[in-house]
Amino acid sequence: MSEGSMPLQELPCVNLQHPVRNKRKSCLSEGLGSESTPTELVLQRSPRPKHPRLVSRGKENDFVLARRSRRRRQSTSGVLWDHLPDELLLRIYFCLPLQDLLRVSAVCKRWHRLALDESLWHSVDLEGLTHTGLALQHVLKTGVHRLRCPRAFVTKLELPEPRTLQLVELDLSSSIIPTSALQSIIRGCRQLQYLSLEALQLSDSIISCLAKNCNLLQLNLSGCSGFSAAALADMLASCCSLEQVNVSWCIFSRDHVRSVVNHLSPSVTALNLSGYRESLALD
């Protein structure tokens, strides 16, 4: 017998006072559940039984490391958003405020494409926005036609060059915007009809870019400064469709006033030259 083996145990069913043959027969007839089975020894040598699995509501509560499937976007009414046609989603997006529309554009590729559809960005009003820079940069990339952002505060504006904008109406009155950023906007405009740059610092380059908008009808440069009389004369001569011109209270010299008077288009029906009493004469 080896040292690691266990000694044979005496079966309780064996009795030396009776014939062994009869006792073995009785042990087999009683079965494994009788007293003749060494239960404690079997339990010691048998492997530990597994605990029963927890069952909750008729399903096994197993912990499985697996990737959870993505939930499909579904409304409370049970209609799948992915099944809605583009026309219906565009109609819903049309009713959203600007901030919500920008959030919607970040959901998925399809919603991003629809959120930037030109029909949603035909006319945009950014008045009252504290920091307009990022919003203005985003809006200018959408092909907007009418843009109002008076009293805007723009510290930085990055537009890819060259870029052609679809602006027809633009209002940047009384805004705080760098001259370089303003020039990058005006440089891309060719279809302007209504423009207001009231109280802004301009340059000869900006005025030269304005001269390329031959369909300009209304121009408001009240309180502007930073451009020469020669650039102003070239711009007024090129924009021969002007109907309303406001150049009041600019930092003008006598040459600026002379350029305005000598190069006005015959189509002008409204002119504001306030603030130049000393530079004006009867001739």
Side-chain angles (χ1 to χ4, degrees):
M1 182 182 296
S2 61
E3 296 180 358
S5 61
M6 296 294 295
L8 295 177
Q9 300 291 331
E10 182 180 358
L11 298 177
C13 61
V14 178
N15 193 344
L16 298 178
Q17 297 179 1
H18 297 83
V20 177
R21 180 175 54 190
N22 295 336
K23 206 60 179 176
R24 178 180 296 178
K25 183 178 179 180
S26 62
C27 290
L28 293 175
S29 63
E30 291 176 0
L32 295 177
S34 62
E35 295 179 356
S36 60
T37 303
T39 307
E40 295 181 358
L41 183 60
V42 172
L43 291 177
Q44 292 177 2
R45 294 304 176 187
S46 61
R48 184 174 300 178
K50 297 181 178 180
H51 295 285
R53 296 178 177 178
L54 297 177
V55 179
S56 177
R57 297 181 181 179
K59 297 182 180 180
E60 294 182 357
N61 190 13
D62 295 339
F63 294 93
V64 181
L65 294 178
R67 184 177 182 180
R68 185 172 55 183
S69 60
R70 294 181 59 185
R71 294 183 178 179
R72 305 186 70 179
R73 291 178 295 276
Q74 187 172 5
S75 63
T76 56
S77 60
V79 179
L80 293 176
W81 287 99
D82 292 338
H83 291 173
L84 295 179
D86 291 352
E87 294 77 9
L88 184 55
L89 286 176
L90 287 175
R91 186 61 182 174
I92 296 174
Y93 294 167
F94 183 79
C95 302
L96 296 178
L98 175 63
Q99 297 295 336
D100 294 338
L101 185 59
L102 295 178
R103 294 189 184 98
V104 163
S105 65
V107 173
C108 62
K109 292 182 179 179
R110 184 194 178 203
W111 288 21
H112 179 76
R113 174 178 58 83
L114 293 176
L116 297 182
D117 190 84
E118 292 184 0
S119 62
L120 301 176
W121 301 94
H122 189 77
S123 179
V124 178
D125 190 348
L126 299 179
E127 184 178 5
L129 205 61
T130 304
H131 297 284
T132 322
L134 293 178
L136 181 60
Q137 180 174 330
H138 180 84
V139 168
L140 290 175
K141 295 178 181 179
T142 61
V144 60
H145 287 205
R146 295 178 176 85
L147 176 60
R148 289 190 70 256
C149 46
R151 294 174 295 279
F153 180 73
V154 180
T155 57
K156 187 178 181 181
L157 186 66
E158 296 181 359
L159 293 177
E161 299 291 347
R163 183 176 182 85
T164 301
L165 303 178
Q166 304 298 323
L167 285 171
V168 177
E169 298 182 13
L170 177 61
D171 184 3
L172 289 170
S173 302
S174 303
S175 298
I176 301 177
I177 179 172
T179 305
S180 58
L182 180 59
Q183 181 176 342
S184 64
I185 296 175
I186 302 300
R187 184 188 294 118
C189 297
R190 296 292 186 273
Q191 306 175 22
L192 284 174
Q193 296 181 8
Y194 307 92
L195 176 64
S196 179
L197 301 177
E198 183 176 346
L200 295 185
Q201 179 74 21
L202 307 181
S203 65
D204 285 352
S205 299
I206 294 176
I207 298 298
S208 299
C209 293
L210 284 180
K212 299 178 181 179
N213 294 268
C214 300
N215 297 323
L216 194 61
L217 300 176
Q218 296 182 12
L219 177 62
N220 181 11
L221 298 181
S222 176
C224 292
S225 60
F227 52 94
S228 64
L232 178 61
D234 293 339
M235 186 267 292
L236 292 175
S238 299
C239 300
C240 54
S241 301
L242 279 171
E243 297 177 354
Q244 299 181 19
V245 179
N246 184 357
V247 287
S248 60
W249 301 103
C250 295
I251 303 179
F252 276 0
S253 62
R254 188 179 298 271
D255 293 335
H256 286 84
V257 178
R258 187 179 295 109
S259 296
V260 173
V261 174
N262 293 336
H263 295 87
L264 276 180
S265 173
S267 59
V268 173
T269 58
L271 174 64
N272 189 344
L273 278 174
S274 302
Y276 312 113
R277 181 174 301 177
E278 297 180 357
S279 301
L280 290 176
L282 291 178
D283 57 351

